[in-house]
Amino acid sequence: MDWSSFNLHGDAPQRAFESLTGIIFERWCHREYASQVRQVIFVNGAGGDGGVEAYAQLNNGDIIGLQAKWFREPLESSQIIQIKGSLSTAATQRSGLVRYVVVVPRDLSDVRRIGKNGQRVDTERDRWNKFITFAKTTHPGITVDLWDETRIASLLAELGSEGLRRYWFEGSVTDLEYIGMKFNQAQNGWLSNRYTRDLHQSGQIEQDLKIRLNGPGIYPGWLEGVRQMRNLLEDAHIATNRLRRYPEFMEQVDAEILIQVAQSWLIEAIAEQVKLENCLCPGNSFPVTDFGTECDPSGAVGLHNLILSIAKIIKSLCNNGFTLNIYPQSKISN
């Protein structure tokens, strides 16, 4: 992340960092704990923050705390002492604290080096690990998490966070409106003699941009499409199972094998559709499940095998004078 472009909005760096991470923390809490969150409270640190910048109260009384430290330089022993003090204060003043998130705007170094006296010098990661050992011993009921620069970037990259990134890092987000404006400028200029709307083809890049620039707005259409596909797969699964009612078909040597191959793939495909539905539900983030690689990664029962199996089934039925219809599940009574 380019912290040099971090927009402080008139605040001190520490205060601006607390505000940014507080908003990220609130969103994360509602996603991580969903309906368990009673409220998320932001603390005014003017009179002491009680070891947290913000905290979430869960319905069962548990507290999830946030501590943000604007440590841009390497994490030395003095910074660890500050974090220890904040944790101890929070453990004392925040009854019910079970999880403590520490956020720093840097990834910890872990490069081993030897000092002048020939002894190994602790890395930032070593110091953090020692702090975790201290926390487990001193406050065994509290889990401590580290949100480093990579973790912050990951949370900011989630769909729905475009406005947040734009507010705190000007110029880091290019929205669809801006791209449209630039395209119209080009279309009316140098592109006017080169672009023909009737010949325009929508490709993978355009589809990817729609997803990433439209954000959650793309979800409803996707979700409906995935649900329709799942319904079709479930109908196909029922239809292949009904093949066992045809004695003439079942007399074939490979009849049961064909049915099992088809149903095995369909079951995996239905499971993947359910995963996709969950990914596309509000509050979840992009990227969604890669259906092509996750459904039967071994290749033992691939789409090609499924097509061959269904083709054999249809051919066999036609040869025996049958007509195979796949009815919607709602029309099947038994």
Side-chain angles (χ1 to χ4, degrees):
M1 297 180 65
D2 183 11
W3 290 103
S4 64
S5 64
F6 183 40
N7 195 332
L8 305 180
H9 295 286
D11 270 330
Q14 173 65 35
R15 178 56 187 155
F17 186 61
E18 291 173 2
S19 298
L20 166 63
T21 54
I23 297 171
I24 297 174
F25 173 75
E26 180 180 29
R27 294 184 176 191
W28 172 82
C29 284
H30 284 291
R31 189 168 57 252
E32 183 80 0
Y33 295 97
S35 59
Q36 302 176 54
V37 178
R38 182 186 305 165
Q39 61 179 336
V40 178
I41 298 174
F42 295 87
V43 178
N44 186 333
D49 59 17
V52 295
E53 265 67 67
Y55 62 94
Q57 290 181 334
L58 305 186
N59 292 329
N60 64 359
D62 288 348
I63 299 292
I64 315 298
L66 169 74
Q67 177 59 232
K69 297 293 187 183
W70 181 250
F71 294 154
R72 293 289 295 124
E73 301 301 322
L75 209 62
E76 302 291 347
S77 298
S78 56
Q79 280 83 28
I80 294 295
I81 290 173
Q82 291 185 45
I83 297 173
K84 283 183 179 179
S86 297
L87 173 61
S88 297
T89 300
T92 301
Q93 298 190 19
R94 307 292 175 184
S95 177
L97 184 68
V98 296
R99 193 169 183 180
Y100 195 66
V101 178
V102 179
V103 192
V104 294
R106 60 178 289 108
D107 290 330
L108 305 186
S109 66
D110 199 19
V111 179
R112 306 293 179 185
R113 62 187 181 88
I114 304 300
K116 295 180 180 180
N117 57 2
Q119 294 183 339
R120 194 187 74 178
V121 177
D122 280 350
T123 65
E124 290 181 90
R125 182 61 60 181
D126 290 331
R127 298 186 189 100
W128 176 261
N129 289 339
K130 288 180 179 179
F131 163 67
I132 293 298
T133 301
F134 161 83
K136 288 180 178 179
T137 303
T138 311
H139 309 287
I142 302 175
T143 299
V144 179
D145 295 329
L146 173 64
W147 285 5
D148 53 17
E149 184 173 359
T150 298
R151 178 64 170 150
I152 297 171
S154 174
L155 291 168
L156 279 174
E158 294 178 345
L159 284 180
S161 299
E162 295 83 0
L164 196 59
R165 296 202 307 274
R166 186 182 297 112
Y167 182 79
W168 291 104
F169 297 90
E170 279 188 67
S172 64
V173 177
T174 303
D175 57 30
L176 198 60
E177 182 179 351
Y178 175 78
I179 291 179
M181 179 190 71
K182 300 301 290 185
F183 176 77
N184 289 333
Q185 289 177 351
Q187 185 180 25
N188 296 325
W190 67 270
L191 197 57
S192 59
N193 296 324
R194 296 176 176 84
Y195 174 73
T196 303
R197 183 181 296 274
D198 293 339
L199 299 179
H200 177 78
Q201 295 293 317
S202 177
Q204 182 61 43
I205 294 177
E206 181 174 341
Q207 294 300 317
D208 188 69
L209 283 173
K210 283 183 180 179
I211 296 167
R212 298 181 182 278
L213 296 179
N214 285 345
I218 201 76
Y219 280 8
W222 272 27
L223 187 57
E224 180 60 27
V226 170
R227 284 173 176 165
Q228 290 179 5
M229 178 58 69
R230 176 171 58 81
N231 290 336
L232 288 173
L233 290 169
E234 290 173 348
D235 291 340
H237 182 266
I238 292 173
T240 55
N241 189 54
R242 292 172 66 235
L243 289 172
R244 294 187 174 93
R245 301 181 183 181
Y246 295 89
E248 292 86 348
F249 173 73
M250 295 305 297
E251 288 175 358
Q252 297 182 85
V253 177
D254 60 348
E256 184 61 32
I257 295 176
L258 291 174
I259 292 175
Q260 289 180 6
V261 168
Q263 289 193 331
S264 177
W265 191 92
L266 288 166
I267 289 171
E268 289 192 44
I270 292 169
E272 289 303 318
Q273 293 299 309
V274 172
K275 286 184 182 180
L276 284 170
E277 288 184 43
N278 292 334
C279 289
L280 294 172
C281 288
N284 292 333
S285 62
F286 187 86
V288 297
T289 303
D290 183 353
F291 174 83
T293 57
E294 286 207 9
C295 186
D296 183 42
S298 66
V301 188
L303 179 58
H304 180 66
N305 288 342
L306 172 71
I307 294 172
L308 290 178
S309 298
I310 292 179
K312 288 181 179 179
I313 291 172
I314 294 173
K315 182 178 179 181
S316 174
L317 290 172
C318 290
N319 289 339
N320 285 279
F322 287 92
T323 300
L324 176 63
N325 294 316
I326 298 178
Y327 295 98
Q329 187 172 349
S330 59
K331 294 184 180 181
I332 298 174
S333 59
N334 54 48

